[in-house]
Amino acid sequence: MAFTLGRISVYNGFRRAVHHMSVNSTKGQRFYSTISKEEKTSPSGGTVISERRGTVMVIGINRPEARNAVNPETAQRLTEELSAFDQDNSLNVAILYGVGGNFCAGFDLKELAQSSGSLNVEQDVHRSPGPMGPSRMRLSKPLIAAVSGYAVAGGLELALLADMRVVEESSIMGVFCRRFGVPLIDGGTVRLPQLIGLSRALDLILTGRPVKAQEALTFGLANRVVPDGQALQAALELAEQVSAFPQLCLRADRNSAYHAAFDSSSFTQAMQYEFDNGLPVIVAESVTGATKFSLGAGRGGTFSMSKL
């Protein structure tokens, strides 16, 4: 995928940002400037790898040598994998993670700085993927982010694309691109305030400070905090739990929540949308569920919620 539809050249700005990264010495700036010094080898399978586990699709960003920073090829592959997941009726939940200990360090500014051409991005968000790939998507099924290491700048924006984030204890999240004049153009200013509130979102957006896992949990940015090395396994267990529920009902409720948060113009409109989209589910799934509940209660006088 080449970002050639629009006419906004940001190449020079990114070159200046990369230059500043090489001379600054703060913690966040050191993080960026040392990416190129790490010599790691990506496992085979390309810049994005995927694996199907029953009704769960596991998608990994596979550029550990760059702390899983996203280049145009990776952005295209991520978009393809999540689009395929969304269109596959046999899959219920997807997991996004980073190979090699980091979730994603954002867009690969080092590769961009070495490019001979400029980056042109499409201005119309309806017409193409974002620079990070799937960041403009509205998936119809749940996505869980398994966050390890750094999830910063565009990497944070990819994590915000997910419905839930399982975060390892030593992980760092933040708008690190603030330090270098690189804007959030992959949904960060849209999703973050909805998730954690405007005041807390502005704290992160304006300061660019690092956010550790426990603070992220307090904010609601993280949904689960797990020991290091366990994010992917915990995300798989969570995905299997979500996948086991009746899916029409689950997706209708999920869709209604997104509509209320982003699309409804009033409380009444949101309530009407919820009712209109929930009503068909009663016929399709609720009667069966009520029958199951009744039979369970009839056998023992009480119904065990663990059997649902």
Side-chain angles (χ1 to χ4, degrees), residues 289-300:
T291 302
K292 178 181 178 181
F293 181 90
S294 298
L295 292 174
R299 284 195 299 268

Side-chain angles (χ1 to χ4, degrees), residues 36-304:
S36 61
K37 297 177 183 178
E38 297 199 359
E39 298 297 333
K40 299 179 181 178
T41 302
S42 298
S44 60
T47 62
V48 174
I49 56 176
S50 63
E51 177 186 358
R52 179 172 183 146
R53 300 193 183 187
T55 57
V56 177
M57 177 60 73
V58 182
I59 301 169
I61 306 172
N62 187 30
R63 301 189 72 223
E65 73 282 358
R67 287 198 174 109
N68 292 319
V70 169
N71 61 4
E73 177 190 353
T74 309
Q76 179 180 357
R77 291 286 297 114
L78 284 172
T79 303
E80 291 170 351
E81 290 288 352
L82 282 172
S83 296
F85 156 73
D86 210 40
Q87 295 167 20
D88 190 332
N89 292 331
S90 65
L91 292 168
N92 294 337
V93 183
I95 295 171
L96 181 63
Y97 75 104
V99 175
N102 288 288
F103 181 75
C104 177
F107 195 85
D108 192 340
L109 303 182
K110 178 175 178 289
E111 180 168 318
L112 180 63
Q114 295 173 347
S115 173
S116 59
S118 62
L119 174 68
N120 294 303
V121 294
E122 172 58 58
Q123 290 178 261
D124 186 346
V125 298
H126 295 95
R127 295 179 60 184
S128 75
M132 294 293 295
S135 54
R136 295 173 178 173
M137 295 179 70
R138 284 280 295 269
L139 296 169
S140 65
K141 296 180 284 189
L143 171 67
I144 299 171
V147 178
S148 59
Y150 284 94
V152 296
L156 174 62
E157 292 179 294
L158 284 182
L160 296 176
L161 175 65
D163 299 89
M164 294 182 282
R165 284 150 295 282
V166 178
V167 180
E168 293 184 359
E169 288 177 341
S170 67
S171 294
I172 298 293
M173 308 175 84
V175 187
F176 279 19
C177 51
R178 175 59 55 242
R179 297 171 169 88
F180 314 118
V182 180
L184 296 170
I185 56 175
D186 281 273
T189 65
V190 178
R191 291 191 173 94
L192 190 60
Q194 286 289 349
L195 287 176
I196 66 174
L198 180 61
S199 179
R200 284 172 166 169
L202 287 175
D203 179 358
L204 305 190
I205 291 170
L206 297 179
T207 67
R209 66 181 179 85
V211 178
K212 296 182 180 180
Q214 288 300 325
E215 184 180 16
L217 182 65
T218 301
F219 277 11
L221 181 56
N223 299 90
R224 309 280 194 280
V225 173
V226 299
D228 288 353
Q230 296 185 21
L232 183 55
Q233 181 57 40
L236 278 167
E237 293 172 0
L238 182 58
E240 289 169 355
Q241 174 189 343
V242 171
S243 186
F245 290 124
Q247 291 298 298
L248 289 179
C249 180
L250 182 143
R251 294 173 197 174
D253 286 349
R254 176 186 179 274
N255 188 40
S256 180
Y258 271 103
H259 183 85
F262 291 104
D263 299 321
S264 291
S265 60
S266 68
F267 172 79
T268 301
Q269 185 186 72
M271 292 291 287
Q272 189 66 57
Y273 185 92
E274 177 190 69
F275 182 82
D276 291 345
N277 284 268
L279 192 59
V281 175
I282 294 177
V283 176
E285 286 185 344
S286 301
V287 173
T288 302
T291 302
K292 178 181 178 181
F293 181 90
S294 298
L295 292 174
R299 284 195 299 268
T302 59
F303 188 81
S304 173

